Amino acid sequence: MLAVVGAILPLALVVWFSPTRVMAATALLLSGRARAVPGAYAVGWVVGIALYIAVFTIFGAAIGAIQLPSLKGDAWFLDPLVALVMFGSAALAWRARPRPGSEPRPPRLTRMIGRLTPMSALGLGLALSIVSPLHLAVAAAVGVDIATGGLAAAAQLVVVVVFVVLSTSSVTIPVGAAIVAPDRAEAPLRRLQTWLSDHGTALLVVVLLVIGVDFVGRWIAALF
């Protein structure tokens, strides 16, 4: 089980470091809205990621059991596709970065904050976790890794829970901290929002490129 957890940790980092999504959560927390709104956003985010991973794990296990003696050996084509998504996402993020000397424009998500209710915030978190080619590629790769790791069903469930907890903690920890101790959390949240605005895109690009190179290496290893 630890080997499977180790294999999916880099992919958890991709979901964990989603600057726009995290900035939306911090903006909700700093907006003075009722804590139910950012709480609902965090719930939607977690549920969406959990559903994605669970579906791909079940799908990978079913295909492996029905058609393929070893899904991992026959799914080598997934690695270059994931690498391509990583490189493409890095390129898009780099092109969308604020130019030197220009004032960063608040993401559209943060401009929607004033109109959100708990139910719409729940839907927004769910949509942002699911409607993403990057998350689709991550979920597919994680699902295959879990389904082909030779684990029992209970162990697969544990790995899914570990992945979801780690990958969504960039949203759930700030939201939880702000709900439990709002006065103490405000200053760190403002620093986090400023840091993400200044450096988030650059670090995201680096993370995506590193993960993309890792999947190219996995693809080459599978071929030879």
Side-chain angles (χ1 to χ4, degrees):
M1 185 171 70
L2 292 179
V4 177
V5 171
I8 65 175
L9 279 179
L11 292 165
L13 183 62
V14 173
V15 179
W16 185 88
F17 198 80
S18 300
T20 303
R21 276 71 169 175
V22 178
M23 287 179 68
T26 56
L28 278 170
L29 293 168
L30 294 170
S31 67
R33 305 294 306 279
R35 296 305 175 191
V37 176
Y41 173 83
V43 170
W45 176 256
V46 172
V47 169
I49 297 297
L51 285 175
Y52 238 160
I53 302 303
V55 166
F56 274 97
T57 300
I58 294 170
F59 178 76
I63 295 298
I66 294 172
Q67 294 184 0
L68 302 173
S70 174
L71 176 62
K72 197 158 186 85
D74 292 293
W76 57 268
F77 61 88
L78 183 61
D79 292 338
L81 291 178
V82 173
L84 185 61
V85 172
M86 297 295 167
F87 293 144
S89 299
L92 291 175
W94 185 252
R95 287 194 62 182
R97 76 192 189 283
R99 297 300 188 270
S102 64
E103 187 70 22
R105 188 183 182 189
R108 184 172 61 179
L109 290 176
T110 62
R111 301 196 298 270
M112 297 170 53
I113 300 258
R115 302 192 299 271
L116 291 178
T117 63
M119 285 304 297
S120 60
L122 177 68
L124 178 63
L126 190 63
L128 289 176
S129 60
I130 294 176
V131 185
S132 167
L134 185 59
H135 291 172
L136 174 63
V138 168
V142 170
V144 168
D145 281 342
I146 296 174
T148 60
L151 303 177
Q156 289 184 354
L157 178 59
V158 170
V159 175
V160 169
V161 171
V162 168
F163 179 87
V164 172
V165 169
L166 292 178
S167 64
T168 61
S169 62
S170 58
V171 170
T172 57
I173 289 177
V175 170
I179 290 175
V180 173
D183 294 335
R184 296 179 61 183
E186 182 175 355
L189 285 173
R190 292 194 183 279
R191 289 196 295 270
L192 174 62
Q193 192 174 45
T194 300
W195 189 90
L196 287 173
S197 178
D198 293 340
H199 308 291
T201 299
L203 189 54
L204 175 63
V205 169
V206 172
V207 169
L208 292 174
L209 290 176
V210 170
I211 303 300
V213 171
D214 177 65
F215 271 86
V216 170
R218 290 170 57 164
W219 179 43
I220 293 173
L223 289 176
F224 299 101

